[in-house]
Structures are given as structure tokens and as C-alpha cells.
Amino acid sequence: MSWRIHAFGLPALVLAGAIAAGAHEYKLGAIEIDHPWTRPTATGQQVGAGFMTLKNTGTEADRLIGAESAASEKVELHEHIHEGDVVKMRPVEAIALAPQAAVKLEPGGYHLMLIGLKAPISEGAMIPVTLIFEKAGRVDVELMSQKQGEAHKPAEHMGH
Amino acid sequence: MNDWRLFPVMFLAFACSLTLGATSALMLPWSNGTAQASAPLALTAATPSATPVTEPQRKVPIGGPFKLLASGGRTVTDEDFRGRYMLVFFGFTFCPDICPTKLDEIARTLQALGEDAKQVAPLFISVDPERDTPETIGDYVASFDTRITGLTGTPDDIFNVAKAYKAYYQKVALDDQGTYTMDHSALTYLMGRDGTFRKLFRPDETPEQVAEIIRQVMAEDKGS
Ligand SMILES: [Cu+2]
């Protein structure tokens, strides 16, 4: 017997496909915001993470420079850095959106960090968030609260 | 001043060979001990063609005694789990993504183990004793699966258990108003029924893979 690294892919996640809960999307100028979601919080969990896919369908670069929410004391833009087996969470100033490109906010990568949640997030809840883009401006979206297994689908949802 | 901060929360360099059949190596480069420095931790597995190792098994210096606090302020030690397998991992509740993902995966590992899960005690140990009280962490893990035990302790206790498991953690400020996060290693350790180290799981291993390996270890133990 040997301990070894399992380098298998994650076919189950990739094949997750669209979900019954349905996807939702928003558009602000050239920016498309695809299926913003978050997880239901565990008891006592005072922070939450918002995920989504941002698509820039325009010819000009833009940046997500901030977010606000009535559901938490503040919202920051964060990323995870994986250094070997250590995970670090760090604030980022902005998330760049190149023309004709998509950026995913997803588990293990970028997220909106909701700090100081005013109430627990239950499954199925819709959490209001305002996204602030440098050029496109502000847009109100809702994070759909859903469990992780169901939430891997946004990756699939991009092609339409 | 919190005593804990006096500790450089970085662990001493060590390198040990895992001698479970083929050779694997767990290597932590030397850290310089300054509080803000980062100590990258690299975990590498040897190729299958590595020199066979003939040393006896279960000599890996990972793990050791601990005395921590669970929900209700109940004292929990490693000895409480003798006769069962401990599945040990570190995290904290002020963690919106990595820790919930991990706990979900542990819950799914238990599901995949079915009846065999009775022989397994998953332990989620806080690396954030400042914020995680026994109550906080107990309630938190119970939201994922009531079979998971959430543990915290004094900063010293946490320092010692993390050191025993060669787990890295580091407090990092997010702003100048006292909000902070914890960097931490995201490995999961399987400890045998006698409390000694058996397997190490990387974060990218699926619950099904982890369950399968746990079953293999159980089978080995039955045969011996
Ligand atoms: Cu964050």
C-alpha cells in the first residue's frame, strides 16, 4: 500500500449540468452576471462567500471594483491562494474583466466575502448584493443560496 | 497580550519519510520564524519507481497526544478515540469557502463509508481559538454532520496539536480594524485505532476516494 496523490479529474462535478433550482442571470451593459450563488450558512457562521461567473461581452476591459450588501456589515473581494497544501484567503483590489472573456468567482478561487452577516442564510434564500464595476457601474443581483454540490454547475452554464 | 502571539506560529522545519510501502516524502522547508513570513509547505509524492522501503510501518512522526475542548466545554483527548480511526483536519469557522467545502466532503465521506463510518471519528480542530469557542465550533460542525466533533482549546493547546500534526497556521489581518483570517494547511490525516498515523489526504481527493482508502486501511488491520 502506498499513499499517493490521486490525480483523477472530477467528472461528477463537470457533469453536474443544469439544476432544478434554475439558473438566473443579469446584464449590465456589456457585463453578464451568471448565476450568483452562496451557501447556506452553518450555525454560528458569520461570514459568507458569493460566487458567480462574470462575462464581458464588450470590446473594452472593465473591472469589478467592489460590492455592497444589506445582508452583511461589509463585502470584500477575495481570492484564495493555494501554496502547496496551505490555503490563504486574501483581499483583492479588483477583479479584471478582459473584453470577450469570462471570469469565474468559484470555490477555491475568487469570491465576494460577506463579512458580519446580519442573519443566517438558509437554503433557498436570495441574498441581495450590489456589484460595482469600474465602467459599467452598479447592478443589483441576488445570490441564490444553495448547497455546494448543486452549485458547481455555473461552469457549465456559460456556453449559452 | 495574548500568549499565543508570542509563539511564532510557524513550525520548525522537518522532513520525514513516510514509510508506508513505497516512499513518500513530506517536506516542510525551514521557516524563518518571523510572524509575517510565509512558510510554503510542499507535499510531494515519490514516483512509483522509488526505492522500496523496508523499514517497519507506522513510524511516521505525525500526530500525538492532545487535550482539547468540545461542545459544552467537554475535555477531549486523543485517547478517547482509541479503537476507532481519527480523521483529523484543521480549519476555523470564520471561513466562508474552504472549511465548509471540507466539512461537506467529510460528511460525504461518512455517507460513502456507510456502516464503516461507525469506526471513524472525524475531528475538526480550530486553528482560530480566539474566535472559536467550544460552543461555536460544536454547533458549526454539527450543521454538516453530527458525527463530526469540533474541537478548540487554549492557544497553547492548539499550537501543540498543530505542531504534532505538522499543520501550518498563521493569523493574517484583513484590515486595520482587527478583522483577520487564518492561513492553514488543508490536509486531512487518518490515524489508526492505536492513534498512530496511517494516511494523508490532499484537498483534491474526493470523498469517495478517501472512503475507499479508509476501507483499505480497515481491511489491512483486519488481516493483521
Ligand atoms: Cu474571503
Side-chain angles (χ1 to χ4, degrees), chain A residues 5 29 45 83-85 114 116 120 122 127 131 133 142 152-153 159-160:
Chain A
I5 294 173
Q45 188 182 330
E83 271 181 27
D85 294 298
L114 280 67
S122 54
I127 307 301
L131 302 175
F133 297 92
E142 285 183 317
H152 280 286
K153 63 138 291 287
H160 76 141

PDB file of all heavy atoms in Angstrom, chain A residues 5 29 45 83-85 114 116 120 122 127 131 133 142 152-153 159-160:
ATOM      1  N   ILE A   5      -0.815  10.582  -4.549  1.00  0.00           N
ATOM      2  CA  ILE A   5      -1.685  11.669  -4.963  1.00  0.00           C
ATOM      3  C   ILE A   5      -2.662  11.127  -5.999  1.00  0.00           C
ATOM      4  O   ILE A   5      -2.271  10.451  -6.937  1.00  0.00           O
ATOM      5  CB  ILE A   5      -0.854  12.805  -5.584  1.00  0.00           C
ATOM      6  CG1 ILE A   5       0.027  13.414  -4.520  1.00  0.00           C
ATOM      7  CG2 ILE A   5      -1.749  13.845  -6.218  1.00  0.00           C
ATOM      8  CD1 ILE A   5       1.004  14.415  -5.036  1.00  0.00           C
ATOM      9  N   GLY A  29     -24.988  46.577 -19.302  1.00  0.00           N
ATOM     10  CA  GLY A  29     -24.159  46.954 -20.436  1.00  0.00           C
ATOM     11  C   GLY A  29     -23.554  45.706 -21.052  1.00  0.00           C
ATOM     12  O   GLY A  29     -24.269  44.752 -21.371  1.00  0.00           O
ATOM     13  N   GLN A  45     -21.949  30.633  11.760  1.00  0.00           N
ATOM     14  CA  GLN A  45     -21.064  31.140  10.704  1.00  0.00           C
ATOM     15  C   GLN A  45     -21.404  32.594  10.406  1.00  0.00           C
ATOM     16  O   GLN A  45     -22.523  32.903  10.027  1.00  0.00           O
ATOM     17  CB  GLN A  45     -21.236  30.276   9.454  1.00  0.00           C
ATOM     18  CG  GLN A  45     -20.229  30.599   8.359  1.00  0.00           C
ATOM     19  CD  GLN A  45     -20.479  29.754   7.111  1.00  0.00           C
ATOM     20  OE1 GLN A  45     -20.955  28.631   7.199  1.00  0.00           O
ATOM     21  NE2 GLN A  45     -20.170  30.295   5.960  1.00  0.00           N
ATOM     22  N   GLU A  83      -0.864  27.516  -1.754  1.00  0.00           N
ATOM     23  CA  GLU A  83       0.589  27.382  -1.777  1.00  0.00           C
ATOM     24  C   GLU A  83       0.932  26.026  -1.212  1.00  0.00           C
ATOM     25  O   GLU A  83       0.876  25.825  -0.001  1.00  0.00           O
ATOM     26  CB  GLU A  83       1.238  28.476  -0.914  1.00  0.00           C
ATOM     27  CG  GLU A  83       1.543  29.750  -1.677  1.00  0.00           C
ATOM     28  CD  GLU A  83       2.192  30.792  -0.790  1.00  0.00           C
ATOM     29  OE1 GLU A  83       2.847  30.418   0.193  1.00  0.00           O
ATOM     30  OE2 GLU A  83       2.015  31.978  -1.096  1.00  0.00           O
ATOM     31  N   GLY A  84       1.265  25.112  -2.078  1.00  0.00           N
ATOM     32  CA  GLY A  84       1.448  23.752  -1.592  1.00  0.00           C
ATOM     33  C   GLY A  84       0.123  23.305  -1.003  1.00  0.00           C
ATOM     34  O   GLY A  84      -0.906  23.403  -1.651  1.00  0.00           O
ATOM     35  N   ASP A  85       0.122  22.897   0.230  1.00  0.00           N
ATOM     36  CA  ASP A  85      -1.112  22.458   0.858  1.00  0.00           C
ATOM     37  C   ASP A  85      -1.680  23.488   1.816  1.00  0.00           C
ATOM     38  O   ASP A  85      -2.577  23.196   2.589  1.00  0.00           O
ATOM     39  CB  ASP A  85      -0.885  21.126   1.560  1.00  0.00           C
ATOM     40  CG  ASP A  85      -0.579  20.056   0.531  1.00  0.00           C
ATOM     41  OD1 ASP A  85      -1.437  19.787  -0.313  1.00  0.00           O
ATOM     42  OD2 ASP A  85       0.541  19.531   0.546  1.00  0.00           O
ATOM     43  N   LEU A 114     -18.696  38.121   2.311  1.00  0.00           N
ATOM     44  CA  LEU A 114     -19.683  38.828   3.114  1.00  0.00           C
ATOM     45  C   LEU A 114     -19.256  38.702   4.570  1.00  0.00           C
ATOM     46  O   LEU A 114     -19.298  37.610   5.144  1.00  0.00           O
ATOM     47  CB  LEU A 114     -21.087  38.239   2.907  1.00  0.00           C
ATOM     48  CG  LEU A 114     -21.827  38.678   1.645  1.00  0.00           C
ATOM     49  CD1 LEU A 114     -21.162  38.150   0.381  1.00  0.00           C
ATOM     50  CD2 LEU A 114     -23.279  38.226   1.685  1.00  0.00           C
ATOM     51  N   GLY A 116     -19.571  39.663   8.522  1.00  0.00           N
ATOM     52  CA  GLY A 116     -20.530  40.141   9.505  1.00  0.00           C
ATOM     53  C   GLY A 116     -21.962  39.986   9.016  1.00  0.00           C
ATOM     54  O   GLY A 116     -22.699  40.964   8.895  1.00  0.00           O
ATOM     55  N   PRO A 120     -28.486  34.457   9.626  1.00  0.00           N
ATOM     56  CA  PRO A 120     -28.041  33.236   8.946  1.00  0.00           C
ATOM     57  C   PRO A 120     -28.663  33.155   7.550  1.00  0.00           C
ATOM     58  O   PRO A 120     -29.729  33.717   7.310  1.00  0.00           O
ATOM     59  CB  PRO A 120     -28.586  32.106   9.830  1.00  0.00           C
ATOM     60  CG  PRO A 120     -28.965  32.741  11.123  1.00  0.00           C
ATOM     61  CD  PRO A 120     -29.276  34.176  10.831  1.00  0.00           C
ATOM     62  N   SER A 122     -30.380  30.775   4.945  1.00  0.00           N
ATOM     63  CA  SER A 122     -30.967  29.447   4.842  1.00  0.00           C
ATOM     64  C   SER A 122     -30.981  29.014   3.384  1.00  0.00           C
ATOM     65  O   SER A 122     -30.846  29.827   2.467  1.00  0.00           O
ATOM     66  CB  SER A 122     -32.379  29.454   5.412  1.00  0.00           C
ATOM     67  OG  SER A 122     -33.125  30.466   4.777  1.00  0.00           O
ATOM     68  N   ILE A 127     -30.007  36.432  -1.512  1.00  0.00           N
ATOM     69  CA  ILE A 127     -29.287  37.462  -0.762  1.00  0.00           C
ATOM     70  C   ILE A 127     -28.953  38.627  -1.697  1.00  0.00           C
ATOM     71  O   ILE A 127     -28.226  38.455  -2.672  1.00  0.00           O
ATOM     72  CB  ILE A 127     -27.970  36.879  -0.173  1.00  0.00           C
ATOM     73  CG1 ILE A 127     -28.263  35.613   0.630  1.00  0.00           C
ATOM     74  CG2 ILE A 127     -27.241  37.924   0.663  1.00  0.00           C
ATOM     75  CD1 ILE A 127     -29.226  35.806   1.778  1.00  0.00           C
ATOM     76  N   LEU A 131     -23.261  44.877  -7.144  1.00  0.00           N
ATOM     77  CA  LEU A 131     -21.913  44.765  -7.698  1.00  0.00           C
ATOM     78  C   LEU A 131     -21.523  46.108  -8.294  1.00  0.00           C
ATOM     79  O   LEU A 131     -22.354  46.783  -8.909  1.00  0.00           O
ATOM     80  CB  LEU A 131     -21.879  43.696  -8.802  1.00  0.00           C
ATOM     81  CG  LEU A 131     -22.308  42.287  -8.399  1.00  0.00           C
ATOM     82  CD1 LEU A 131     -22.332  41.374  -9.626  1.00  0.00           C
ATOM     83  CD2 LEU A 131     -21.401  41.723  -7.322  1.00  0.00           C
ATOM     84  N   PHE A 133     -18.962  47.923 -10.844  1.00  0.00           N
ATOM     85  CA  PHE A 133     -17.950  47.807 -11.903  1.00  0.00           C
ATOM     86  C   PHE A 133     -17.379  49.178 -12.193  1.00  0.00           C
ATOM     87  O   PHE A 133     -18.093  50.191 -12.136  1.00  0.00           O
ATOM     88  CB  PHE A 133     -18.560  47.212 -13.175  1.00  0.00           C
ATOM     89  CG  PHE A 133     -19.067  45.813 -12.986  1.00  0.00           C
ATOM     90  CD1 PHE A 133     -20.389  45.574 -12.619  1.00  0.00           C
ATOM     91  CD2 PHE A 133     -18.208  44.725 -13.159  1.00  0.00           C
ATOM     92  CE1 PHE A 133     -20.855  44.276 -12.425  1.00  0.00           C
ATOM     93  CE2 PHE A 133     -18.672  43.429 -12.968  1.00  0.00           C
ATOM     94  CZ  PHE A 133     -19.991  43.193 -12.601  1.00  0.00           C
ATOM     95  N   GLU A 142     -28.978  39.023  -6.961  1.00  0.00           N
ATOM     96  CA  GLU A 142     -29.274  38.217  -5.778  1.00  0.00           C
ATOM     97  C   GLU A 142     -28.461  36.939  -5.821  1.00  0.00           C
ATOM     98  O   GLU A 142     -28.407  36.256  -6.851  1.00  0.00           O
ATOM     99  CB  GLU A 142     -30.767  37.873  -5.732  1.00  0.00           C
ATOM    100  CG  GLU A 142     -31.619  39.049  -5.309  1.00  0.00           C
ATOM    101  CD  GLU A 142     -33.084  38.669  -5.199  1.00  0.00           C
ATOM    102  OE1 GLU A 142     -33.602  37.960  -6.086  1.00  0.00           O
ATOM    103  OE2 GLU A 142     -33.719  39.067  -4.210  1.00  0.00           O
ATOM    104  N   HIS A 152     -21.978  23.613  -8.484  1.00  0.00           N
ATOM    105  CA  HIS A 152     -20.841  23.559  -9.398  1.00  0.00           C
ATOM    106  C   HIS A 152     -21.240  23.812 -10.829  1.00  0.00           C
ATOM    107  O   HIS A 152     -20.428  23.918 -11.705  1.00  0.00           O
ATOM    108  CB  HIS A 152     -20.144  22.199  -9.294  1.00  0.00           C
ATOM    109  CG  HIS A 152     -19.243  22.132  -8.120  1.00  0.00           C
ATOM    110  ND1 HIS A 152     -18.035  22.775  -8.090  1.00  0.00           N
ATOM    111  CD2 HIS A 152     -19.382  21.531  -6.926  1.00  0.00           C
ATOM    112  CE1 HIS A 152     -17.469  22.561  -6.920  1.00  0.00           C
ATOM    113  NE2 HIS A 152     -18.261  21.816  -6.197  1.00  0.00           N
ATOM    114  N   LYS A 153     -22.531  23.856 -11.039  1.00  0.00           N
ATOM    115  CA  LYS A 153     -22.994  23.985 -12.408  1.00  0.00           C
ATOM    116  C   LYS A 153     -22.672  25.307 -13.124  1.00  0.00           C
ATOM    117  O   LYS A 153     -22.598  25.316 -14.329  1.00  0.00           O
ATOM    118  CB  LYS A 153     -24.502  23.726 -12.486  1.00  0.00           C
ATOM    119  CG  LYS A 153     -25.303  24.740 -11.705  1.00  0.00           C
ATOM    120  CD  LYS A 153     -26.509  25.174 -12.434  1.00  0.00           C
ATOM    121  CE  LYS A 153     -26.228  25.997 -13.652  1.00  0.00           C
ATOM    122  NZ  LYS A 153     -25.772  27.352 -13.327  1.00  0.00           N
ATOM    123  N   GLY A 159     -21.889  28.479 -21.610  1.00  0.00           N
ATOM    124  CA  GLY A 159     -21.857  28.382 -23.059  1.00  0.00           C
ATOM    125  C   GLY A 159     -23.091  28.887 -23.772  1.00  0.00           C
ATOM    126  O   GLY A 159     -23.133  28.929 -24.986  1.00  0.00           O
ATOM    127  N   HIS A 160     -24.111  29.297 -23.086  1.00  0.00           N
ATOM    128  CA  HIS A 160     -25.340  29.606 -23.781  1.00  0.00           C
ATOM    129  C   HIS A 160     -25.506  31.075 -24.127  1.00  0.00           C
ATOM    130  O   HIS A 160     -24.687  31.881 -23.745  1.00  0.00           O
ATOM    131  CB  HIS A 160     -26.530  29.122 -22.962  1.00  0.00           C
ATOM    132  CG  HIS A 160     -26.809  30.011 -21.801  1.00  0.00           C
ATOM    133  ND1 HIS A 160     -28.062  30.332 -21.377  1.00  0.00           N
ATOM    134  CD2 HIS A 160     -25.963  30.635 -20.983  1.00  0.00           C
ATOM    135  CE1 HIS A 160     -27.963  31.133 -20.339  1.00  0.00           C
ATOM    136  NE2 HIS A 160     -26.714  31.313 -20.077  1.00  0.00           N
TER     137      HIS A 160
END
